[in-house]
């Protein structure tokens, strides 16, 4: 019995179009065997319909508790990332006003890379662009740009 699915899957179980967005599925109470063992089989697929996996927490249990955890996850990390973007913009504006002190520019780069890292690690970029390649490029760039920004930030204190 299929409980739920994301993306487009044909009758044979073949993935036609992936959908990497987060969601939750409720098991019908008629399918649960109380006071007995229950088996849940989860089929996950990657972008090519092959084997997939779960990178983040999966919740099993009471629907209301699962929804609460699910929604907290969806609220906290994007809020943190957008807060970091705001902090980066603030320091970028300070740099534009006082161009001699480049530490503001480098710090801005650090917090922008942290925001990009959080967005890509928790896959929130899929809300806008459903591409594994774009996600991989953004994730890798966040690490490289963050390391460069930290190096420049620290080096600026020794000038």
């Amino acid at each position: 019995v299929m409980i739920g699915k994301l993306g487009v899957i044909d009758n044979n179980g073949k993935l036609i179009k992936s959908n990497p967005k987060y969601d939750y599925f409720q098991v019908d109470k008629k399918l649960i065997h109380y006071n007995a063992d229950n088996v849940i089989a989860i089929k996950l697929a990657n972008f090519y319909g092959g084997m997939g996996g779960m990178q983040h927490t999966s919740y099993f249990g009471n629907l209301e508790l699962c929804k609460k955890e699910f929604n907290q996850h969806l609220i906290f990390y994007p809020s943190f990332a957008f807060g970091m973007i705001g902090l980066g913009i603030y320091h970028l504006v300070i740099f534009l006003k006082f161009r001699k002190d480049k530490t503001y520019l480098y710090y801005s780069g650090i917090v922008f890379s942290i925001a990009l890292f959080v967005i890509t690690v928790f896959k929130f970029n899929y809300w806008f662009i459903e591409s594994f390649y774009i996600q991989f490029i953004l994730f890798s760039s966040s690490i490289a740009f963050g390391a460069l920004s930290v190096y420049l930030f620290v080096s600026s204190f020794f000038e």
Side-chain angles (χ1 to χ4, degrees):
V1 176
M2 178 166 301
I3 304 299
K5 65 180 179 178
L6 290 174
V8 179
I9 302 169
D10 69 11
N11 292 335
N12 296 324
K14 183 179 179 194
L15 179 68
I16 297 172
K17 183 177 184 311
S18 66
N19 184 345
K21 295 178 179 147
Y22 292 109
D23 205 350
Y24 57 88
F25 303 103
Q26 181 177 1
V27 177
D28 189 358
K29 289 185 180 183
K30 292 183 241 172
L31 298 174
I32 298 174
H33 305 286
Y34 294 94
N35 299 322
D37 291 340
N38 289 281
V39 177
I40 298 175
I42 300 173
K43 180 180 179 182
L44 302 168
N46 62 13
F47 285 85
Y48 305 106
M51 293 185 342
M54 288 187 206
Q55 288 185 312
H56 303 290
T57 306
S58 299
Y59 303 104
F60 296 94
N62 180 285
L63 180 62
E64 292 307 313
L65 293 176
C66 290
K67 279 185 183 179
K68 181 181 175 187
E69 289 291 326
F70 180 79
N71 290 332
Q72 284 176 347
H73 173 80
L74 290 180
I75 292 169
F76 177 75
Y77 293 108
S79 299
F80 178 79
F82 287 118
M84 295 303 277
I85 290 170
L87 187 62
I89 291 170
Y90 173 75
H91 282 87
L92 192 59
V93 168
I94 291 174
F95 166 72
L96 293 174
K97 185 166 174 113
F98 306 106
R99 290 186 186 255
K100 288 184 181 180
D101 191 0
K102 292 188 178 181
T103 56
Y104 292 110
L105 175 64
Y106 302 145
Y107 185 76
S108 177
I110 291 170
V111 295
F112 280 135
S113 64
I114 291 170
L116 187 58
F117 181 79
V118 168
I119 288 169
T120 56
V121 163
F122 292 100
K123 310 286 189 282
F124 292 113
N125 54 302
Y126 288 126
W127 290 357
F128 310 106
I129 300 171
E130 290 187 21
S131 170
F132 171 76
Y133 300 109
I134 297 295
Q135 195 273 340
F136 180 75
I137 290 168
L138 291 175
F139 175 75
S140 302
S141 299
S142 72
I143 293 172
F145 184 63
L148 176 65
S149 297
V150 167
Y151 171 77
L152 292 171
F153 180 74
V154 171
S155 296
S156 68
F157 289 106
F158 298 107
E159 291 179 348

